[in-house]
Amino acid sequence: SVATVSSTGLVTAKGKGKAVIYTYSSSEAEQDVVCYLEVSPRRNILFYIGADDNVINGDTPGKINKIRMGWQPDKGEMLIYADRKNEGASLLRINNVLDANGYYGLDTLEVYGSENSADAATLNRVIKKMVSDYPADSYGMIFFSHASGWLPEGMLSRPLSMVIDGEVSTNREMEYYDFASAIPDKQFDFIILEACLMSDVLSMYEFRKKSAYILASSAEIVSPGFYNIYADEIMRLYETKDDIPSVVSGFAQSYYDKIAALPESDVFCSATLSLVKMDEMEALASVTKSALQGADIDEATVPVEDVQSFDRPKKLIYSGYNRSSRYFDFAHVMEKITPDSQYKIVNAQLDKTVVWKAATKRFLLRDSGGTPYFNEYDGFFIERHSGLTIYIKQEVYPGLNAAFEKSSWYKAIYDN
């Protein structure tokens, strides 16, 4: 099942595992030959791009070309679903033939035309095609689009939910539970969310059965995102001899190192990333429930101005929604609302859940060489970063409060 040997001695790998091959032949001289062979699992990756809007549409060709620059043949498949404004959607595959620019070429597998990339059925169809047409031992997904984590459709002007399809004024959105419904359980070994504000406990809890690990950001991912590391790091994601946390955190660390190396006067020296072990999310919900003992997480018990937040409400919110943040550091909230003995239990579980994290000291807030800091982007300092965020219910957001209470996370915490 691992390898075969032909009559001429050619060894052919058949499947993952280890094999010891013994040979004995020759009419002129007798000799034993032992061959120790290890066949690594094969991993295929889907790069899902929902860029059918004016803002990130232009980033798509550059990201694809960066991946092609770093591509190495015969390590696994890279399928790319790209939905671009005025071009429609298509499914591409990087092949093993170099073009005139020195990039490996693209095969067009399917042309879909104008369709809704923010529809869960579209994502599900693409995943099923990858699995059926390109079977592998392991699968990963990189997901690139606008996003706003668990927030319901229409709550922010930009970013929005998980995928935006079309103009902002007429957008169609995929909400986080739709994203989860599109993915078969245990389909991916990792999902990399190159999308803003996705590292919230509501989304991660909803995704807990879909992937072994998820890389996400508590804050926004500042453009151009992972563009600058794709050429150097894309093949790291195909390394199946190393464990998944090492592979994905190594990819993430490379991005963070580039961002952190920027001068503090550069406003783009801004990043928050965390790698979440998904099968620990239920345990995190369990200890959170025990620690809270029915106490609600609202502005009466946790003053929002006292907690680390990760969004920029003055820049991103529709008129009428500009009074407060919606993404607060999970550990900081729990520290404020629970007794110290209970907080220690929650924090210990959080360390098992978030297996890697990194954050800059400031976010879209640059050092001017003195005080005050330049803050043209409504940036903020990052003094706490646990790797996950949570919502604090607020009177000004009745719609969000209701949506929060309908989430699977909330029900796991408060339902009997």
Side-chain angles (χ1 to χ4, degrees):
S1 62
V2 176
T4 59
V5 186
S6 73
S7 60
T8 60
L10 177 65
V11 177
T12 301
K14 291 296 185 180
K16 63 180 180 179
K18 296 180 179 180
V20 182
I21 299 171
Y22 300 89
T23 66
Y24 172 82
S25 64
S26 179
S27 58
E28 299 177 356
E30 295 182 357
Q31 184 177 11
D32 288 322
V33 179
V34 180
C35 174
Y36 297 94
L37 180 70
E38 181 175 358
V39 180
S40 298
R42 182 177 179 84
R43 176 172 298 141
N44 292 344
I45 296 176
L46 170 65
F47 189 16
Y48 193 92
I49 304 173
D52 191 5
D53 84 309
N54 287 326
V55 180
I56 65 172
N57 186 60
D59 293 343
T60 300
K63 289 181 184 289
I64 293 174
N65 284 339
K66 283 288 186 178
I67 290 175
R68 292 168 63 199
M69 287 172 62
W71 182 251
Q72 297 176 20
D74 304 321
K75 298 287 186 178
E77 299 287 353
M78 170 62 78
L79 301 188
I80 303 170
Y81 173 88
D83 183 18
R84 298 192 62 207
K85 186 173 179 60
N86 300 324
E87 295 184 17
S90 58
L91 184 63
L92 311 172
R93 170 185 172 270
I94 299 181
N95 62 36
N96 296 342
V97 181
L98 288 171
D99 65 14
N101 297 317
Y103 301 166
Y104 284 97
L106 289 172
D107 296 329
T108 300
L109 304 178
E110 301 275 355
V111 177
Y112 304 115
S114 179
E115 68 172 359
N116 182 10
S117 56
D119 187 350
T122 302
L123 174 59
N124 179 259
R125 183 197 69 217
V126 174
I127 292 172
K128 284 184 175 179
K129 182 169 181 61
M130 175 182 68
V131 173
S132 64
D133 292 6
Y134 298 93
D137 305 298
S138 170
Y139 295 96
M141 178 166 68
I142 305 170
F143 186 89
F144 172 56
S145 187
H146 287 305
S148 60
W150 70 276
L151 263 64
E153 183 174 4
M155 287 294 181
L156 295 180
S157 57
R158 187 180 298 115
L160 293 158
S161 300
M162 285 206 61
V163 186
I164 177 173
D165 183 277
E167 298 287 351
V168 171
S169 60
T170 58
N171 68 77
R172 294 167 291 180
E173 302 174 36
M174 183 192 302
E175 300 199 30
Y176 71 105
Y177 47 81
D178 292 326
F179 180 80
S181 72
I183 303 173
D185 287 355
K186 299 182 179 180
Q187 179 63 70
F188 293 107
D189 283 325
F190 63 82
I191 296 174
I192 295 174
L193 295 173
E194 191 179 4
C196 300
L197 302 162
M198 285 306 307
S199 190
D200 67 89
V201 290
L202 280 73
S203 295
M204 293 299 106
Y205 189 80
E206 196 73 27
F207 304 161
R208 66 194 184 279
K209 297 180 181 180
K210 308 302 175 179
S211 179
Y213 293 86
I214 291 183
L215 179 70
S217 174
S218 294
E220 298 161 78
I221 292 182
V222 179
S223 182
F226 299 151
Y227 170 87
N228 289 324
I229 66 165
Y230 276 134
D232 295 331
E233 297 295 327
I234 192 63
M235 296 314 300
R236 181 194 294 266
L237 299 177
Y238 286 89
E239 183 52 71
T240 55
K241 291 184 179 180
D242 295 335
D243 60 81
I244 296 298
S246 298
V247 168
V248 182
S249 66
F251 175 88
Q253 187 69 53
S254 178
Y255 171 75
Y256 177 78
D257 289 345
K258 283 186 177 293
I259 297 300
L262 295 172
E264 293 188 349
S265 59
D266 192 329
V267 71
F268 296 109
C269 184
S270 306
T272 61
L273 287 174
S274 52
L275 182 61
V276 182
K277 187 178 182 183
M278 303 310 291
D279 65 6
E280 294 288 347
M281 283 302 303
E282 290 189 2
L284 184 64
S286 179
V287 298
T288 301
K289 180 176 183 177
S290 296
L292 290 174
Q293 297 181 348
D296 216 349
I297 301 177
D298 59 29
E299 59 189 335
T301 54
V302 188
V304 295
E305 64 273 10
D306 293 343
V307 183
Q308 175 73 58
S309 61
F310 290 95
D311 52 337
R312 302 180 296 137
K314 293 180 182 178
K315 287 291 183 182
L316 298 176
I317 311 305
Y318 280 124
S319 176
Y321 284 89
N322 61 351
R323 301 183 190 180
S324 178
S325 295
R326 291 140 312 282
Y327 306 85
F328 299 91
D329 186 76
F330 177 78
H332 203 184
V333 169
M334 294 304 295
E335 185 180 38
K336 293 283 186 181
I337 200 173
T338 59
D340 185 61
S341 59
Q342 290 295 320
Y343 170 69
K344 288 180 179 178
I345 296 172
V346 173
N347 202 44
Q349 177 58 45
L350 185 60
D351 287 341
K352 296 178 182 178
T353 307
V354 179
V355 297
W356 175 92
K357 61 186 177 184
T360 52
K361 296 178 181 179
R362 292 186 290 273
F363 196 88
L364 294 178
L365 181 67
R366 56 179 168 154
D367 190 344
S368 63
T371 55
Y373 289 89
F374 283 129
N375 197 10
E376 65 268 45
Y377 294 103
D378 191 31
F380 50 88
F381 289 97
I382 301 175
E383 297 177 350
R384 298 288 296 267
H385 176 243
S386 66
L388 289 171
T389 63
I390 191 169
Y391 175 64
I392 298 173
K393 291 197 291 185
Q394 300 160 64
E395 185 178 358
V396 72
Y397 298 138
L400 291 185
N401 297 340
F404 181 57
E405 293 180 357
K406 291 179 181 178
S407 69
S408 297
W409 167 266
Y410 189 92
K411 292 175 181 178
I413 304 303
Y414 294 105
D415 286 1
N416 294 324

